[in-house]
Amino acid sequence: MADIARLAGVATSTVSRALAESPMIPLETRREIQRIAAENGYVINLSAQRLRSSRTRTICVAIPLGHETDQLISDPFFLELFGHIADEVSARQFDVLLSRIPSPKPGWLTNHVQSQKADGYIVVGQSDQHEEINQAARTFLPLVVWGAHLPEQAYCSVGSDNIGGARAAVDTLLAAGRKRIVFLGAAALPEIQRRLEGYEAALHRAGIPLDPVLVQPAHFTGDTALAAVQSLIMRGVQFDAIFAASDVIALGALRALQASGLTVPGDVSVVGFDDLPLAEHAHPRLTTVHQDLKRGAAALVEFLFRRMDGEETPSATLPVRIIERDSVS
């Protein structure tokens, strides 16, 4: 840096500011210093710069999988949301560190934070880790979670209107004349529990008693949904519709129905939740609940950066809407 300063005829502090794009240095001077630096092969040592500033300029996106260790980062929902988060973070000239935590151990998030690998944390999905996230959030402000808003929540969350979306999905099926509606999803998870509540509320409003046999567990891997629907068919359980708690689960249900010779939507109507790109390309094209993941990612990152500046931010619940395609009639 001293050599660049000598060649440019300025102080080393001016070189430092110019290379960091400081507005304190006139644009013409900045460009001249940057030109001299480039010609002489000068490269900023980012590690040293970050140590001096006590900032890593890195955001960690953590995925706890206490509920389902087999779910992969290649899951279509994860890929969609991560892509939007990465776009928002990189636009602020920060890097993204992705951390998948299968079978989380007690204290995992607090230990992660104390490692100082990142300036802020976005946790995608509460899984069964609500108390663990609460514990970390009580002493660490730059933490935002994608998920449901829960009672006695110490952390900031961003998520969709899961109850309202589920009600809309079931109302769509009821309007099509369907009465025996299966719910497929892992109800132990906070977001899916809210979708089950919406399912139950829509049935109650329509005067249809809840049949526990029609509430079937299914994880976010499509194979469990396929097995659950095949089991219903083999046992002779009567149903004429399925509300799946995710699009991936809905696709597993479609496979099971088609393999059993049932038509969609003729024999069974199906509605998913997410509106991922794969819903448009399913056969038949999938009617589903659209949650705006791009808007959700923007909110997560905005809230996180505000919290990195010391600001308390509220939680947010984003609206959803039904996208009608071909799997309901």
Side-chain angles (χ1 to χ4, degrees), residues 62-74:
I63 314 103
L65 294 171
H67 65 289
E68 186 173 354
T69 58
D70 293 337
Q71 192 174 8
L72 301 176
I73 290 173
S74 57

Side-chain angles (χ1 to χ4, degrees), residues 184 219-230 233 239 242 244 247-264 268 270 278 282-284 286:
L184 286 178
H219 294 291
F220 291 115
T221 52
D223 288 345
T224 61
L226 184 145
V229 174
Q230 287 178 331
I233 295 170
F239 61 94
I242 294 174
D247 287 348
V248 172
I249 292 173
L251 292 188
L254 286 176
R255 287 166 52 207
L257 293 169
Q258 292 163 350
S260 300
L262 296 172
T263 62
V264 178
V268 181
V270 178
L278 55 81
H283 182 71
L286 184 65

Side-chain angles (χ1 to χ4, degrees), residues 185-241:
L189 304 181
E191 287 182 284
I192 308 307
Q193 175 61 40
R194 298 300 183 272
R195 294 172 197 177
L196 177 57
E197 290 174 18
Y199 162 86
E200 293 174 347
L203 292 180
H204 178 75
R205 187 167 56 185
I208 297 176
L210 176 67
D211 185 348
V213 173
L214 298 181
V215 177
Q216 291 291 312
H219 294 291
F220 291 115
T221 52
D223 288 345
T224 61
L226 184 145
V229 174
Q230 287 178 331
S231 174
L232 288 172
I233 295 170
M234 288 170 47
R235 287 184 284 138
V237 176
Q238 297 299 307
F239 61 94
D240 56 13

